[in-house]
Amino acid sequence: MLALGVLVGLAPGLGSGAASAAVGTGSSGGAVSARAEGLAPFTQQKLTWKRCAADKPAAFQCANLKVPLDYQAPEGKRIDVAISRIATSVPGKRRGVLTFNPGGPGGPGLDLPLEAAGGLPKAVRDQYDLIGFDPRGVGRSTPVTCGLTADELPYPRVTRSAADAAANEAWARTFADKCGAAAGERLPHTTTRNTARDMDVMRAALGEKKLNYFGVSYGTALGAVYMQLFPHRADRFLLDSAVDPKRMWRGMFQTWASESEPAFARWAKWTAGQDATYHLGRTPAAVARTFWKLVARADADPIVIGDAELDGADVRNALRREFFTVRAGAEAVVRVKKAAEGHKVRELPAAALPDDNETAAQIAVVCSDSTWPRDPGTYRRDAFRDGARYPLYGDFASSITPCAFMPRGAEPATVVDNRVKSLIVQNEWDSQTPLDAARGMHRALKGSRMVTVDEGEGHGVLFGEAPNACAQNAAMGYLATGELPDRDVTCRATPGQRSSASPAPGAFSGR
């Protein structure tokens, strides 16, 4: 979940006059047939605000926003989107509203104004009322669920053999069947495109002319799609740890394999220089051998860590992210090595176990946003090929997902290609949205500037235990003034930022 160190949101003030914009008239992703006047009941709705919860501050208010399930048929079924606000702007300084998305897809955002209120600098806070929301299908927003068991939730899954492939194909089909039975009508409409439309209905219902926004990880994809559909409604958009819109979504999973290899090589080199501390090898090759021997040992005789027994695939899956933060990677391998030697060790770092709603919403979005191969053999072949090409994670990243059997999205994917102004911030060594993906977003958003933290580690630049001051200054300056840097900026990572940053939960926010 988002641990604020600074964020971004929505903007200035008109009422429902933007009904036409809420349809989504961007130039790409297919024509939208719904007529603007059909959205008037949504854009002109009166929101009823109440205290969100007795144990939350009275200033933290919540309301339900009604939106169409299908924007091409707005007269049809309606669903709820839960939204929240904290009024922090100062009269005379107020610019509008600022909204947030923490990533996922599937991540709830209703509580983000509470977190942001204490993390934003006064110069930003004075200008904006803070707005949060659970995206459609998530949390309190007409949630999608699939009735999945705990064993059915985790993905991606390793494919090392024909038996693995057959088991994974059966799992993916069962997963898709359960989701279809439980939420089939809503799945094709649980998309990034429709969530962006929901954001624009929210903007209009709040009486705002424009939207200011801060999105992390998957939230960068959501922000980019909003900019594409509503270029004249997008004001100050800040994107932290960016997805490549041309690789949504299978390609983004596959980057976890290709980009893990240079991260592993960098980790091995760093760890060899710290042999007096970690004793994993005096050369990069020796360090790498130590790790791969542990993987082989775990395959032959599972290694007990905490309450879990880890085979070689489990070790690779648990440690892939850690190698992007060199000290964390070295410490994790030391623990595995001690466990293999028979010592009791604490559990390895792990993302929070998702619940059924988070996973169902996530799968609905990634399956409906893009076209996935329908032939299970494609995944099998790709997993075997990439397992050899990228031994750390290739067989995970190319394995089958339920998208092979899920219904197609109701509309073509949105192609992101515009000149709307925005700011992208990115760590060089990010395990979930690698630097190359952020560069892809930068190319697609031709009006953007990019701040890269050289040698920066971890998923998320502007939040966490040790945010980068250089990147923060650029991002907060943009939110406060609307001024982008004259050119792309490179910041230097600080030692604390390099060593303490860590992935956050969620698929593209850290699973």
Side-chain angles (χ1 to χ4, degrees):
M1 179 54 69
L2 202 64
L4 259 275
V6 178
L7 292 81
V8 192
L10 290 165
L14 162 75
S16 56
S20 60
V23 179
T25 55
S27 60
S28 64
V32 180
S33 62
R35 297 189 303 170
E37 50 266 34
L39 290 175
F42 303 99
T43 57
Q44 296 175 14
Q45 66 187 287
K46 182 175 176 59
L47 299 172
T48 301
W49 294 97
K50 298 179 180 179
R51 186 171 183 168
C52 290
D55 61 344
K56 300 286 176 68
F60 182 47
Q61 298 179 311
C62 288
N64 276 335
L65 182 78
K66 295 290 183 183
V67 297
L69 173 64
D70 181 359
Y71 277 88
Q72 297 186 88
E75 70 284 354
K77 186 172 182 179
R78 300 180 175 193
I79 59 174
D80 290 330
V81 171
I83 65 175
S84 62
R85 71 178 182 186
I86 295 181
T88 63
S89 60
V90 174
K93 296 183 179 181
R94 187 183 190 276
R95 179 176 182 80
V97 295
L98 180 63
T99 196
F100 311 92
N101 181 275
L110 205 62
D111 285 346
L112 293 186
L114 280 174
E115 300 182 40
L120 289 167
K122 187 175 185 297
V124 175
R125 215 166 49 242
D126 285 354
Q127 296 186 51
Y128 301 102
D129 294 335
L130 309 179
I131 303 295
F133 70 104
D134 285 348
R136 64 165 52 203
V138 176
R140 289 169 52 183
S141 295
T142 312
V144 294
T145 58
C146 295
L148 301 165
T149 67
D151 289 340
E152 290 168 336
L153 289 171
Y155 75 94
R157 297 188 173 216
V158 67
T159 301
R160 298 161 296 186
S161 64
D164 282 344
N168 290 342
E169 289 160 20
W171 159 77
R173 194 180 295 275
T174 297
F175 192 123
D177 288 346
K178 284 190 170 185
C179 287
E185 179 188 18
R186 283 181 282 149
L187 294 177
H189 304 290
T190 306
T191 63
T192 301
R193 187 179 180 89
N194 278 339
T195 299
R197 288 168 170 148
D198 297 342
M199 286 167 56
D200 203 61
V201 169
M202 177 174 68
R203 174 201 59 75
L206 289 169
E208 301 294 330
K209 290 180 180 178
K210 290 191 175 185
L211 188 69
N212 299 283
Y213 175 81
F214 171 59
V216 182
S217 196
Y218 164 76
T220 67
L222 177 59
V225 169
Y226 184 93
M227 285 187 273
Q228 189 67 36
L229 295 178
F230 309 105
H232 302 299
R233 298 295 177 191
D235 196 3
R236 298 175 186 178
F237 269 52
L238 180 59
L239 310 178
D240 185 340
S241 307
V243 167
D244 184 347
K246 288 189 175 179
R247 297 190 225 178
M248 291 166 49
W249 285 108
R250 190 174 186 229
M252 283 302 304
F253 284 125
Q254 290 176 314
T255 64
W256 293 353
S258 59
E259 298 306 310
S260 291
E261 296 300 320
F264 181 83
R266 170 179 174 263
W267 167 79
K269 180 179 179 180
W270 183 89
T271 302
Q274 307 293 322
D275 184 59
T277 301
Y278 299 109
H279 309 294
L280 296 176
R282 295 181 180 178
T283 67
V287 170
R289 280 196 300 274
T290 298
F291 171 74
W292 287 110
K293 284 180 180 178
L294 288 170
V295 170
R297 153 66 204 277
D299 274 332
D301 182 14
I303 297 172
V304 178
I305 297 181
D307 295 329
E309 291 188 355
L310 277 61
D311 66 10
D314 294 327
V315 171
R316 291 189 286 120
N317 187 35
L319 295 186
R320 180 196 69 83
R321 290 176 303 165
E322 302 305 310
F323 292 131
F324 285 79
T325 306
V326 290
R327 179 168 292 132
E331 291 171 353
V333 172
V334 166
R335 291 204 294 279
V336 174
K337 186 170 180 284
K338 286 182 177 178
E341 293 167 350
H343 300 283
K344 274 196 168 186
V345 301
R346 60 188 174 91
E347 293 179 351
L348 293 172
L353 183 67
D355 61 21
D356 178 81
N357 171 234
E358 180 186 345
T359 301
Q362 190 171 98
I363 282 289
V365 170
V366 299
C367 297
S368 298
D369 271 1
S370 57
T371 301
W372 290 72
R374 292 310 216 191
D375 175 16
T378 299
Y379 299 92
R380 186 181 300 210
R381 290 187 294 272
D382 289 355
F384 292 157
R385 178 201 66 201
D386 290 346
R389 183 185 294 175
Y390 308 119
L392 183 59
Y393 208 69
D395 46 353
F396 278 97
S398 289
S399 289
I400 198 167
T401 75
C403 297
F405 307 110
M406 296 280 276
R408 302 283 193 194
E411 299 175 82
T414 302
V415 177
V416 175
D417 182 9
N418 63 65
R419 296 188 176 276
V420 180
K421 291 183 178 180
S422 59
L423 185 66
I424 301 166
V425 292
Q426 180 71 33
N427 279 328
E428 180 179 5
W429 297 100
D430 184 323
S431 62
Q432 305 306 102
T433 53
L435 176 60
D436 190 53
R439 288 171 172 162
M441 179 68 85
H442 190 24
R443 288 190 294 271
L445 299 178
K446 295 175 175 58
S448 64
R449 290 286 185 268
M450 184 164 166
V451 176
T452 304
V453 183
D454 180 53
E455 289 297 308
E457 295 179 338
H459 186 50
V461 178
L462 301 176
F463 57 91
E465 295 178 5
N468 183 271
C470 167
Q472 259 195 336
N473 289 340
M476 293 306 103
Y478 169 60
L479 284 184
T481 68
E483 295 295 321
L484 289 169
D486 292 337
R487 58 182 64 85
D488 291 346
V489 175
T490 299
C491 296
R492 297 283 181 181
T494 62
Q497 196 258 338
R498 282 200 300 269
S499 64
S500 66
S502 61
F508 290 100
S509 61
R511 179 175 313 134

